[in-house]
Amino acid sequence: MLALLGVYHRMLFRMGPDAELSSQVTIAVKTFERPKAVARFVRCARRVFAGRIIVADDSRVTWSSKDPLVKVLPLPFNSGVSVGRNVALDAVTTPYVLITDDDIVFTHASRWEGALDYLEHNPDVDGVAALLIELPRWYSSVHGNQALFSGHEQPLRAPGEIIDGMPVRLKVPQVYLARTESIRKIRWNEELRMLDHSDFFSRAAGKLVFVQAMGLPALHARTPWNRVYTKYRDDTAQDQITLGRLWRRSQGTA
């Protein structure tokens, strides 16, 4: 299915990687116990991106790549998503960073140069997210107004507000192009091993502005059959306790 879609999009979008995108952007991806997934990600990313890719890997066996522009950063086993994202972010030297997960697939339709141009012309916006399409059911969803934890700051722009043709989102999928320094203002809370997503955007509210490019697709090819990955991915009890403590405190109730 992915192969057929790749051929179809290659026929529609014949352009290769954009030179400016490759010089201004670094991809930062976190991987854990999914060597086939991260290998697929890098292979697919090269359809539209020729620049530097940083992979933070806390697997038992660190993944490796022969691509000279792929830098793999080994971490202690099961360090967690937040630690990995921060380590990858610290290695970025370009003004823009593309944050993503290892189970994302880019096709030839994933033209990130449009998102880069948008950010260059809209200095009040910090990040542009792709439209994430879930496989194999081929659906996408938009996070609603209740996507953030209660107690977050007042957003700078209202959700759904249109800025230069793109809608504002309080929370976006984990596949977005952003200003590197903007993301460094927030970073990821390393007390959280797995449940980083809502916490990041809850803390970003009132500080950063994200929009979503509805014409920029990225595919989400999950790996539910990977029992080792799933075992650790679903181990979130401590994160739940930590989130409860952090966000009760932010509301002045604890």
Side-chain angles (χ1 to χ4, degrees):
M1 179 173 60
L2 285 175
L4 290 175
L5 183 65
V7 171
Y8 176 65
H9 280 182
R10 185 169 65 247
M11 294 172 62
L12 290 178
F13 304 91
R14 296 182 179 275
M15 298 175 291
D18 179 79
E20 182 179 3
L21 181 76
S22 299
S23 66
Q24 296 294 307
V25 174
T26 300
I27 291 179
V29 56
K30 166 68 177 63
T31 191
F32 173 73
E33 294 294 331
R34 295 198 290 193
K36 292 182 179 179
V38 71
R40 179 187 62 195
F41 170 79
V42 170
R43 184 172 64 251
C44 295
R46 287 300 182 222
R47 296 167 175 168
V48 293
F49 181 75
R52 191 168 181 235
I53 299 176
I54 297 173
V55 179
D57 187 358
D58 59 342
S59 305
R60 284 191 176 88
V61 177
T62 303
W63 180 72
S64 63
S65 173
K66 295 181 179 179
D67 188 322
L69 290 179
V70 173
K71 182 176 181 60
V72 182
L73 304 176
L75 299 171
F77 176 69
N78 197 28
S79 297
V81 177
S82 296
V83 169
R85 292 200 196 283
N86 284 335
V87 167
L89 180 66
D90 288 341
V92 173
T93 59
T94 51
Y96 297 95
V97 59
L98 203 168
I99 303 294
T100 185
D101 288 326
D102 58 356
D103 57 358
I104 299 298
V105 175
F106 293 159
T107 75
H108 286 84
S110 306
R111 305 304 308 187
W112 287 96
E113 58 267 29
L116 176 62
D117 183 70
Y118 179 94
L119 290 173
E120 297 262 290
H121 288 87
N122 292 275
D124 293 336
V125 177
D126 297 282
V128 178
L131 178 66
L132 192 62
I133 301 171
E134 297 285 346
L135 299 180
R137 295 174 59 192
W138 296 94
Y139 74 93
S140 60
S141 59
V142 174
H143 296 292
N145 293 352
Q146 304 303 316
L148 306 185
F149 292 121
S150 178
H152 64 77
E153 293 182 19
Q154 181 69 25
L156 295 175
R157 307 294 285 265
E161 177 184 349
I162 303 299
I163 302 177
D164 196 10
M166 293 192 188
V168 171
R169 305 294 189 209
L170 299 186
K171 177 182 174 183
V172 299
Q174 296 278 35
V175 51
Y176 55 86
L177 179 67
R179 304 180 195 279
T180 304
E181 290 308 312
S182 295
I183 302 302
R184 284 180 173 148
K185 292 177 183 177
I186 309 300
R187 299 177 65 81
W188 288 270
N189 184 349
E190 295 186 5
E191 288 188 78
L192 300 170
R193 188 179 58 83
M194 295 305 302
L195 301 182
D196 62 301
H197 195 183
S198 291
D199 175 78
F200 177 90
F201 284 98
S202 296
R203 290 184 295 107
K207 300 178 181 69
L208 305 184
V209 176
F210 286 84
V211 298
Q212 189 167 32
M214 305 305 286
L216 174 58
L219 309 179
H220 193 189
R222 298 175 185 267
T223 58
W225 58 86
N226 186 330
R227 294 183 179 180
V228 174
Y229 169 82
T230 302
K231 171 186 174 182
Y232 290 95
R233 177 66 182 87
D234 292 344
D235 179 17
T236 61
Q238 184 56 52
D239 279 6
Q240 295 283 4
I241 294 172
T242 300
L243 287 170
R245 171 175 55 81
L246 292 172
W247 288 98
R248 282 197 303 272
R249 179 193 303 165
S250 72
Q251 299 174 67
T253 60

